[in-house]
Amino acid sequence: MYDGLSDKSVIKPGSEVVDIIDSEDSVKAVLADGTHEEGDLVLGVDGVHSLVRRLMWRNANTSVPGTITAQEKKSLYADYTLLLGFSKTTADMSQSDLTATHHDGKSYLVIGGKEYTFWFVFFKIKRTHWPAMKRWTQADAEKYAASCMDNPISETQVFGELWKTAVRYELVNVEEGLFKHMFFGRIVLAGDAVHKMTPNVGLGGNSAMESVVVLTNLLHKAVKEHPYGKPDRAALQKLLTEYQTKRRTRVQEVIDFSKLATKMQAWETTWYKVLSRVVPFLPDDSFAKQASALFKAAPKLDFVPVPGNPQGTVKWDDEVAETQTEKANSRPTSGTKAGSIVSWTTAPLLSMCVLVSFFYMVQGAKVMGGSQTAANV
């Protein structure tokens, strides 16, 4: 993206923001070197430990006391901690497999590569809220690693073999949460700074880009509609409110989807353990259908044409021309009835899968002490 910029002078790497001053007509970002940048909007995409978010909270409660409550600040919490790192890939390791292994209260994700193998170990912990989350040390990481040295991570390896060749590792919190206020004044947030999810499905970065896309579409529309090409404060507040409304529902769906994957893989409760055993009995395309239902609703830049008009198996929601009137006037079809029949017949089938998987879970636990799934990547 940086290489594609026509004017790279607008990017100032290494510039540390120390304060944000919001006013009626503009906003200033004060930098550590004493200079400042002034504009119409500050977009904070600076991660889960966001300074921009803290400054926005300060400005909000200074201007309108009580805007950001203690309860909202506690929206960020952690139910898991993550030991992540990478090791040298040895001759007996796969260079192309992605393996997910389930254990009680923890799970493993191992991604093989030609030179390095990347691994992620999720541990269930007692829930902690911001700002009381612990900052983990290398000693903590080694202690957690020692607790699972003999855990299988594939049919032929245990975790201790990866740990012996570890090049780098770190123990971090797996934060989750969606803050009520995504903006205040001329400060707006996106990404982990305002909507944080577990990384098991890998949708955190995508969600950040989606938020920026929605905000960009709204800004582009407002600039075109404003007679002077520059929205005033009232227009800016209106579009930021729309941005917040649009993103909250969508992001919550992604957070819930990611949370489900984390809980199932770590067998958080007996229910999730049984549920993880049900999945292999479902049709091969079950996960793809659920995931595509989520993915196809993603926004895109509505003022930039898509080159080549690519067509996929599943259409994006904005490509489906279906009005509410057409839905109301459409008559039931055999397809609709079939859907109802499927919903009725799926229930006993799912129940049978649960019973069979529960028996398999009990027997399998005696043999291996964990469960794994693998995919070639």
Side-chain angles (χ1 to χ4, degrees):
M1 293 175 66
Y2 177 77
D3 292 338
L5 288 174
S6 57
D7 181 12
K8 294 182 175 59
S9 66
V10 297
I11 305 297
K12 296 187 176 181
S15 299
E16 181 186 356
V17 175
V18 295
D19 199 5
I20 299 176
I21 302 172
D22 197 350
S23 64
E24 181 67 25
D25 300 321
S26 66
V27 60
K28 293 180 181 179
V30 182
L31 307 182
D33 62 5
T35 64
H36 70 266
E37 296 291 330
E38 186 170 3
D40 298 297
L41 196 67
V42 168
L43 173 60
V45 197
D46 52 338
V48 68
H49 303 295
S50 173
L51 171 67
V52 175
R53 183 182 68 227
R54 295 203 303 271
L55 293 174
M56 187 189 84
W57 286 352
R58 180 206 64 187
N59 289 355
N61 282 340
T62 300
S63 300
V64 186
T67 299
I68 309 297
T69 64
Q71 189 62 35
E72 179 176 356
K73 292 179 179 180
K74 290 176 62 179
S75 298
L76 189 67
Y77 63 90
D79 285 336
Y80 287 84
T81 187
L82 171 63
L83 178 64
L84 70 160
F86 62 96
S87 305
K88 292 181 180 179
T89 300
T90 58
D92 59 337
M93 293 182 184
S94 170
Q95 297 183 4
S96 59
D97 282 352
L98 183 154
T99 305
T101 311
H102 311 253
H103 292 265
D104 288 312
K106 58 178 175 285
S107 65
Y108 299 83
L109 179 64
V110 180
I111 306 172
K114 290 184 178 181
E115 186 175 359
Y116 296 109
T117 294
F118 297 86
W119 43 267
F120 309 83
V121 188
F122 295 83
F123 296 89
K124 181 71 175 73
I125 60 173
K126 183 179 179 180
R127 176 173 292 191
T128 54
H129 292 268
W130 183 93
M133 296 176 190
K134 182 177 178 179
R135 289 298 185 98
W136 305 96
T137 65
Q138 291 296 92
D140 291 322
E142 292 166 4
K143 181 179 179 180
Y144 270 78
S147 71
C148 52
M149 288 293 181
D150 61 348
N151 285 173
I153 56 171
S154 72
E155 292 180 347
T156 60
Q157 283 189 310
V158 294
F159 177 72
E161 294 175 271
L162 276 180
W163 183 256
K164 285 181 179 179
T165 61
V167 177
R168 184 176 177 181
Y169 55 87
E170 186 176 5
L171 187 66
V172 298
N173 291 306
V174 181
E175 300 94 345
E176 301 175 67
L178 173 60
F179 293 104
K180 178 181 178 181
H181 290 85
M182 302 182 77
F183 79 95
F184 184 85
R186 292 178 177 271
I187 304 174
V188 60
L189 304 172
D192 288 353
V194 68
H195 47 72
K196 179 69 172 66
M197 59 207 65
T198 59
N200 297 62
V201 191
L203 297 179
N206 295 65
S207 297
M209 289 186 281
E210 284 189 15
S211 290
V212 173
V213 165
V214 171
L215 182 60
T216 301
N217 286 339
L218 292 171
L219 286 169
H220 179 264
K221 180 182 178 183
V223 168
K224 287 186 65 176
E225 292 177 348
H226 198 276
Y228 301 104
K230 182 178 178 180
D232 57 19
R233 187 178 180 88
L236 197 60
Q237 296 303 296
K238 181 179 178 181
L239 77 84
L240 291 178
T241 300
E242 185 176 354
Y243 161 76
Q244 179 172 275
T245 301
K246 284 186 173 182
R247 290 306 293 154
R248 282 192 61 83
T249 301
R250 166 70 176 168
V251 171
Q252 188 62 63
E253 292 176 348
V254 179
I255 289 174
D256 292 342
F257 186 74
S258 300
K259 184 196 299 285
L260 177 62
T262 304
K263 289 175 177 289
M264 283 179 57
Q265 290 176 5
W267 289 347
E268 183 170 299
T269 64
T270 301
W271 164 247
Y272 288 109
K273 190 172 185 177
V274 171
L275 193 59
S276 73
R277 293 294 193 177
V278 170
V279 173
F281 292 94
L282 299 177
D284 291 342
D285 61 352
S286 296
F287 177 79
K289 286 181 177 179
Q290 289 189 13
S292 63
L294 185 71
F295 300 158
K296 69 187 181 70
K300 65 183 180 184
L301 294 172
D302 56 18
F303 58 92
V304 178
V306 179
N309 190 30
Q311 297 295 319
T313 303
V314 179
K315 289 187 177 181
W316 298 98
D317 280 359
D318 60 4
E319 295 175 346
V320 180
E322 189 175 49
T323 65
Q324 291 298 323
T325 302
E326 291 173 332
K327 289 181 179 179
N329 294 336
S330 63
R331 297 178 60 185
T333 64
S334 58
T336 304
K337 293 179 181 178
S340 299
I341 293 173
V342 169
S343 66
W344 280 102
T345 57
T346 301
L349 177 62
L350 185 61
S351 298
M352 182 179 70
C353 289
V354 170
L355 291 174
V356 173
S357 65
F358 183 74
F359 173 78
Y360 176 72
M361 175 185 70
V362 173
Q363 296 300 316
K366 295 178 180 178
V367 177
M368 187 174 181
S371 173
Q372 70 173 50
T373 55
N376 189 268
V377 294

